[in-house]
Amino acid sequence: MQTVADLMITNLVTLKESDSLATAKALMSEKNIRNLPVIDDDGHCLGMLTQREYLKHAFYLVSQFGTQQLHKKEEQTPVRNAMNKDTLSIDPNMTLKTAAEFFIENKYGSLPVVENGKLVGILSPVDFVKLAHSML
């Protein structure tokens, strides 16, 4: 039976809590990704910065400081201020069927894959689409 470890992405793009929202925005744009895991120096997953969370905080900054100050404020704002710290994670040994059922029942764009407290991968619904495509 296939597991999350068989499908997850392991070539990860991550952030630190102290990275700026400007850095996160640039990474999302450059790598064409919508979800960035936030890790500490030991590789522990502290949360996720999703495109939705970034946009929510960017709109807040615009409402407080105006559009002309947005870039400056993004450079000054650490990711910790916008990231989701209450993130569910999955184990690499979870079956793909169980993980697929989770994505069907919930509207998550991705899930960090954590083993022994450390981030080892990320899994998204797109990974399942790629799997289905390869089987056609």
Side-chain angles (χ1 to χ4, degrees):
M1 182 166 281
Q2 286 191 302
T3 65
V4 167
D6 297 321
L7 190 60
M8 69 185 187
I9 302 299
T10 57
N11 184 17
L12 301 174
V13 178
T14 62
L15 294 168
K16 303 284 188 194
E17 281 187 303
S18 58
D19 287 335
S20 71
L21 284 182
T23 298
K25 177 182 174 181
L27 277 173
M28 286 180 181
S29 177
E30 176 187 327
K31 303 290 185 182
N32 194 29
I33 53 179
R34 296 176 301 175
N35 303 292
L36 291 165
V38 181
I39 61 171
D40 65 15
D41 291 333
D42 296 322
H44 295 102
C45 187
L46 304 174
M48 294 282 287
L49 180 68
T50 65
Q51 187 177 47
R52 179 177 289 159
E53 295 295 328
Y54 159 77
L55 288 172
K56 188 168 118 180
H57 204 79
F59 284 130
Y60 167 77
L61 293 173
V62 167
S63 74
Q64 295 298 305
F65 305 104
T67 55
Q68 293 180 335
Q69 293 292 314
L70 179 60
H71 184 71
K72 178 181 176 185
K73 292 300 179 181
E74 284 177 334
E75 288 178 337
Q76 296 172 345
T77 304
V79 166
R80 80 174 57 84
N81 291 10
M83 69 185 228
N84 183 353
K85 296 174 185 152
D86 187 26
T87 304
L88 294 176
S89 62
I90 56 177
D91 186 271
N93 298 312
M94 176 185 283
T95 67
L96 283 181
K97 182 176 180 176
T98 302
E101 289 167 355
F102 180 85
F103 280 116
I104 290 167
E105 294 171 8
N106 301 281
K107 293 186 178 185
Y108 278 78
S110 68
L111 287 170
V113 183
V114 175
E115 186 172 41
N116 299 321
K118 295 192 178 185
L119 182 70
V120 294
I122 194 164
L123 187 68
S124 75
V126 172
D127 299 319
F128 285 98
V129 173
K130 289 177 183 177
L131 176 64
H133 180 262
S134 72
M135 297 172 76
L136 294 176

